[in-house]
Structure formats: structure tokens, C-alpha cells
Amino acid sequence: MCTRCERPLSALSEASAWNPRRAFLLAAAGAALSAPALAQVNVGNASVARNLVPADQIEAAGVQQYGQLLAQARAKGALAGDGNAQLQRLRTIAQRLIPFALPWNTRAREWKWEVNLIGSKQINAFCMPGGKIAFFTGILEQLKLSDDEVAMVMGHEMAHALREHARARMAKSVGTGAALSIGAQLLGLGQVGDLAARAGTQLITLKFSRSDETDADLVGLELAARAGYDPQASVSLWKKMATASKNQGGLSFLSTHPSGPDRIAKLEANVPKVENLYRAAARK
């Protein structure tokens, strides 16, 4: 929640005594759309378009598809058991990152975070809306990621969920006419089940915009730094990604997370902004 958007209830009452409900809604909207006041990276407000799509519908679709993916992996013997060392490593990193998620999205308080590892040569990872994280063994083994680099990948994916990029992309994809229809449905004039079903078929392979990717890079960078992971690893990670892409002729991860010199330069410019967070966390 953005503390700079908060005002005393008395102030709200005085400013909007003629319509206290409207004042409350405007204040809540301002808080929901802003980045945390104490954020070190500058990512601005989350997309207003996402409000056209119910968050609980997108999150429910994410949970459903995540469950289906795990079931498929389990049936193939590809789902890592709780005793798997790599899975334990991922869950330890997640436990350090998750406490810093709430300021970026108050809905995260209700999410049932989950981390799983799937045996696959794919270089890929994702976080579904609602906090459902999965890594493929390929990204850990082929890129030989350090814990700091894993934290950057995980923070990036968590950031997509926290900033509700899938929800915003879905809202934009349905078009103006459909958005108006959704508005009517939210007023009790229809149902949103079809939208949720549509979302459920797209969440894993959804391609985000360049601005979404930059957003996730920077929010993920700050999440990881606050959790005590070296922000310099964000640069080494994407250099590894770029090298692997050249050597292998393209990667699953990079089909939805394009790499390049501009991306690396942006991260290099932002690393100094979170160095103090990292050093403070490392001293604890």
C-alpha cells in the first residue's frame, strides 16, 4: 500500500463530506494504483486497464491451470518431491522473498504461495496470478544459476503476479466492446466464467509488453535485494540468458522474456538504487 496516498479519515470527511463513499473509493483507488512509497526503483503506477477484469477470476484461473500442470508432471514422474534438494533450495529462496511482496500488492496477503520444481530441459520459470511458482530443472542446471541469480528469476516472476500484468494483458486483449460487456457483467448483468476460462488457457504462455518486462525486472530486483540477494546477479543472469539463447537458437523463457543489451543496461542503471537495501539485509 502506498503510504503517501493515505490521509486521516477526518481529513477525508472534511474534504468530501457531501459524498464520503466517493472519497473513500478515490483514496482506495489511489493507493491500489501506486507503487510503494518507499520503493527504490521507479516503476510508476500499475496499469489501470487491469481493473476491467476481476482479480479473483484471474487468480482462480491461475490456480486451476497450475494444478493441471502439476498433475501432468506428476503423472510423468517429473514433479520433484518435497525431499528434492533443488526444490528445497527454491523454497528457501521463496521464503526470503515473499515477506517483501505485500507492499506491492495487498491481495498477496491472501495468496497461498506455492513453489514446485518440474523435471524438464526447458529453460523456464513462472509465477501464476495468486502466487503459484514453478521452475523447470533446465533453467537451474543449464544456466548453473547461483542462489542470487535464482532469486532474480523468482523475483521477476513474482513481480509479474504482484503487478498483475496477466490481468492487465487479458483486459487489453478483450477489446473495448468486451470490456464494456465485462462492466455490465460486474453489475450483475452477466457472468465472467468465459473470461476466466480464456485466461486459464493463456497464463503460462502469455507474452508481456516491453514495459511489463522492465517493470518486472525492476520490482524483482528490489524484492531480491531486500531479501539479501546480490543485485549484481540480475546483470549476470541476463548475460547468461543472452549467451544461452545464442548457443541454443532460442529459449522457451526468452520467447516470453526477451533479452538484449537495453535490458541489461536498464538493470545496471538500477543496481545502485538497491545496493543499500542489499547491504542492510546482509547485515541482519
Side-chain angles (χ1 to χ4, degrees), residues 17-281:
W18 59 275
N19 194 336
R21 181 175 182 274
R22 179 175 180 273
F24 172 80
L25 292 174
L26 288 174
L33 290 174
S34 298
L38 298 179
Q40 301 303 298
V41 296
N42 181 18
V43 293
N45 296 342
S47 172
V48 177
R50 77 196 199 285
N51 294 321
L52 295 172
V53 177
D56 58 349
Q57 294 288 329
I58 294 294
E59 290 168 10
V63 170
Q64 180 181 23
Q65 189 174 1
Y66 187 76
Q68 292 172 347
L69 180 68
L70 296 188
Q72 293 170 2
R74 188 179 295 108
K76 296 177 181 178
L79 185 65
D82 291 339
N84 181 282
Q86 289 282 48
L87 177 57
Q88 291 178 352
R89 176 191 180 205
L90 291 174
R91 289 179 174 172
T92 297
I93 293 171
Q95 287 173 355
R96 287 174 57 176
L97 291 173
I98 290 170
F100 301 100
L102 188 59
W104 292 98
N105 190 328
T106 56
R107 291 187 63 83
R109 182 184 288 109
E110 308 301 326
W111 291 356
K112 295 180 180 179
W113 292 91
E114 192 171 345
V115 183
N116 280 286
L117 177 64
I118 296 173
S120 169
K121 293 182 179 180
Q122 289 187 49
I123 296 181
N124 209 352
F126 62 83
C127 179
M128 291 282 198
K132 303 302 185 182
I133 301 169
F135 271 65
F136 291 76
T137 54
I139 196 169
L140 300 176
E141 296 171 356
Q142 295 187 51
L143 298 188
K144 302 186 185 308
L145 298 183
S146 67
D147 284 359
D148 294 305
E149 290 167 340
V150 170
M152 294 302 155
V153 174
M154 191 176 293
H156 174 99
E157 296 306 319
M158 288 171 59
H160 276 309
L162 292 168
R163 297 286 280 176
E164 299 184 293
H165 292 155
R167 184 182 172 198
R169 298 305 297 172
M170 188 59 59
K172 293 172 183 177
S173 72
V174 298
T176 303
L180 292 175
S181 174
I182 293 169
Q185 292 165 352
L186 293 178
L187 293 173
L189 303 178
Q191 297 185 13
V192 293
D194 290 343
L195 179 66
R198 180 178 176 185
T201 63
Q202 297 184 26
L203 292 174
I204 288 180
T205 58
L206 192 64
K207 291 186 178 181
F208 298 115
S209 68
R210 182 175 298 179
S211 62
D212 287 343
E213 289 298 328
T214 298
D215 198 23
D217 280 348
L218 300 186
V219 174
L221 173 67
E222 179 156 326
L223 285 172
R226 287 185 182 277
Y229 292 101
D230 187 353
Q232 292 289 347
S234 64
V235 177
S236 63
L237 165 68
W238 286 101
K239 286 181 177 179
K240 285 184 177 182
M241 288 285 189
T243 299
S245 181
K246 291 178 182 178
N247 293 342
Q248 299 184 27
L251 303 174
S252 297
F253 190 81
L254 294 183
S255 68
T256 54
H257 300 76
S259 183
D262 291 344
R263 184 171 209 154
I264 292 172
K266 187 77 171 180
L267 285 164
E268 288 176 330
N270 279 272
V271 164
K273 297 180 181 180
V274 299
E275 283 282 4
N276 287 338
L277 298 176
Y278 164 58
R279 286 195 289 269

